[in-house]
Structure formats: C-alpha cells, structure tokens
Amino acid sequence: MSHDAERNWKPETSLVHGGTLRSEFGETSEAIYLTQGYVYETAEAAEARFKGETEGFIYSRYANPTVDMFEKRMCALEGAEDARAMASGMAAVTAAILCSLKAGDHIVAARALFGSCRWVVEKLAPRYGIEATLVDGTRIENWQAAIRPNTKLFFLESPTNPTLEVIDIAAVARLANEVGARVVVDNVFATPLQQKPLELGAHIVVYSATKHIDGQGRCLGGVVLSDKKWIDENLHDYFRHTGPSLSPFNAWTLLKGLETLPLRVRQQTESAAKIADFLADRTEVARLIYPGRPDHPQADVIARQMKGGSTLICFDVKGGKKAAFALSNALRLILISNNLGDAKSLITHPATTTHKNLTDEARAELGIGPGTLRLSVGLEDAGDLIDDLERALKAVG
Ligand SMILES: *Cc1c(COP(=O)(O)O)cnc(C)c1O
C-alpha cells in the first residue's frame, strides 16, 4: 500500500490499517516485537546500518517495529510528518518542552495545566535557566502581554483540566508566529478526533496515550508529533540518548486501542452530552461546564476549532466538599478515580486529589472550588449512568 493511498484514508481506516508492518508470516493482527536488539548478517551490514547507509533497526531504545507501527498510525491520524512514542504522557510533555528550549529562553504557558505539566514548566524548567510565565490562556491579550524578547515557546492544553476551559489555538499560533515562537498543544482532553492542533497552526502536539488512546485503563504511553525537521533537529538525539522509549508490549496495546478509538470517543461524547444536559437541570448543581453546550463560556471558539464535544464534564455541587464527597460516595456504578478517558466512568474531586498541591488562591484562579467534580464518561449505557447520578444527587440533597 503506497503512502499516498494511506493519506487519503478517513481516520477510521487509518486507525485500523495505518503503519502496519507485516512480517513474513502474514499475521492479521500486528506482531509484538519484544526484542531489545537486532542481528546483522555480517559485520559489514552492522557497519552500514550504523552509518545510516541501510535502513533497519539498531536497538529498541531508538526504534522498534511495534513502536514504529504505533508512531506511524498516530502520524496518519494527526496529519503529522513524524512522531516519537514515549513511555508516558509526561515523558512526551517533558521532551517537547525541554527539546524546544535552552538556558536563557522564556516560555509562556496557560496556567490551567495538568498538575505534572505545571511542575515541569514552573519548577523544572527554571532550574535550567528557562523562565516561565503562566497566564489565563482564555484571553489572547494575556499571551500578548507575557511575550518577552526571549520568548521561544507557548504551551497550552485545551480543553483544560478540570474546568474544560477552551483556548483559541489559532489565535495563539498567529501570535507565536509573529514573534518566532513555537506552540506546543497537549491535546489529551480533546482527543485527536475532536481537535487538530497542527491544522490550527500549532507546531507540536503531545498526547498521554494512557487516556483515550488506550481507553481501557491498561498501560501508560505518550507521543510527540511534529514536522520531520523539528524532530530530526531537536528531539531525535534527546530521545535516543535519554531513553524515554515506549515498551513494545504497551505500543501493541495502544495500537489495539487506536482501532476502536473513534467508536469509543463518539459513544462517550454522545453519553457525556446527555449527562451534561441532565446535570444542568438539577437544583443540586451550582455550575456545569461542558464543551458542546451553548452555555459554555467559549462556545464560539469551540464551534471554530473542535469537531465535537468532550467525553468529560465539570460540575460543582452546592454544599462544597461535604456534598461533593457525599455524592461521590453514593455512586455505585461510577467509580472514584483520578484517571480519565477510560471505558469505565470515573469521578474525581480535583481540590483534594489532582490539584491538591496548588494553593487555595491558585485553585480559585482555575475555577476549582470545594464542590467541583470532574466526570470522565465511559462506555456504560448513558441511562444507567444518569440513574446512578440521580440516585446519588438525591442522597446528597
Ligand atoms: C494524564 C495527562 C498527562 C500525563 O500523562 P501520563 O501518561 O499520566 O504521564 C499530561 N497531560 C494531560 C492533559 C493529561 O490528562
């Protein structure tokens, strides 16, 4: 199958066939190449491989056939020229940020970041002489105001965790291009199906494949996608020499996840929209944020940059922490867990878990209150999930 034929495939097709490397045995399902190394017919062949004169694998820290299939399939889905798969989402985020910068550079990031991403930007990068400014990313003038002569990178997540704010990626990219900075988008919450950051002008996209891409709560993984030139010049050597490589077994699991990604994301988004409408009408709910509802604060941006809603819902119950805990504890079907994107519906109380390390002020800035809950909608029947929530809300009320 030629590469060009693959380019014209719709996502559903790419996700089943993209990047497949079939061995001489003609297996239907992708093989798991659990090998560290590769053998050469002759010493001359080894020499040629190391010189880059012949194609082939050298060592699985650099590349592995199963991992290669996952990278190629992700490229086909994202419309990216190249990718590197990594052992976790955080390995991918850290690589994307550190490989874009050097001492003396400045990064502007939206302050509504996944906790570990915020640590990398706010705590790790400054140790190496990289300054960071965090802004309310929903207003483009804040990005503009934070720019310094040495600003080299803009970093954002959209929709954000946990309050599902949406940032205008095209506007941030235009600003970045004016000052010669790059834009890295952590696209986990949108999924590669609902939002295409590269098409919107971003330069680098990162995923925690742990979330919707696996989608069944099994293994960690991450991926960085960009143009071939950036990867060759900035990421390639870092990746080979620092060793964040993805295990071939996990790559295989993620390949299987990709096959069903569109079905799952579509179903979970459809259910989430129904649940959001149900929650919005309840008197026990003080606030509900769902990308896809017309009352979302950035509904206009969503209409421009996202193809669909979200599999996540953010809502506040009246009665603060006590009510939020009572609701969580009264649920029978929805599980208490800080993960997301799983086939199982999961609820989390950000103030005491994912965002517990922030000060009260920082949490308030992000719109995380004592009554805030984040619900990741799974593959269960939407009616069953609504019944579970209804019963638990009555228990609280
Ligand atoms: C989970 C997550 C990460 C980190 O991914 P891991 O696979 O857990 O390392 C980064 N960004 C976002 C938005 C996430 O949801």
Side-chain angles (χ1 to χ4, degrees), residues 88-90 93 114 117 157 186 188-189 208 210-211 220-221 340:
S88 70
M90 282 321 302
V93 168
F114 184 78
C117 297
E157 298 171 20
D186 179 335
V188 166
F189 272 53
S208 164
T210 313
K211 310 297 164 54
L220 300 178
L340 63 101

Side-chain angles (χ1 to χ4, degrees), residues 71-72 74-75 80-85 223-226 231 235:
E71 289 169 344
K72 292 216 165 63
M74 281 303 303
C75 285
E81 285 176 9
D82 206 358
R84 290 291 182 278
V223 59
V224 179
L225 300 118
S226 187
I231 291 195
L235 186 61

Side-chain angles (χ1 to χ4, degrees), residues 40-167:
Y40 312 92
E41 291 289 324
T42 61
E44 287 77 9
E47 183 183 33
R49 190 85 53 91
F50 269 73
K51 278 187 176 165
E53 291 169 358
T54 56
E55 292 256 317
F57 296 95
I58 291 177
Y59 188 53
S60 285
R61 169 151 43 80
Y62 303 168
N64 167 282
T66 313
V67 177
D68 191 72
M69 287 190 254
F70 173 65
E71 289 169 344
K72 292 216 165 63
R73 200 167 285 183
M74 281 303 303
C75 285
L77 173 62
E78 197 68 40
E81 285 176 9
D82 206 358
R84 290 291 182 278
M86 309 218 186
S88 70
M90 282 321 302
V93 168
T94 306
I97 291 177
L98 294 185
C99 292
S100 300
L101 298 164
K102 60 178 185 333
D105 288 345
H106 175 238
I107 172 169
V108 183
R111 68 186 176 199
L113 293 181
F114 184 78
S116 298
C117 297
R118 191 154 165 166
W119 182 86
V120 169
V121 169
E122 248 187 330
K123 298 285 191 317
L124 181 66
R127 279 196 215 163
Y128 302 98
I130 298 160
E131 298 179 310
T133 306
L134 295 183
V135 298
D136 170 356
T138 57
R139 296 165 60 93
I140 193 70
E141 50 274 31
N142 295 341
W143 293 89
Q144 174 103 52
I147 293 171
R148 297 183 194 166
N150 56 342
T151 302
K152 291 287 155 53
L153 197 71
F154 289 175
F155 177 60
L156 64 94
E157 298 171 20
S158 182
T160 62
N161 176 35
T163 50
L164 308 178
E165 284 177 348
V166 170
I167 295 171

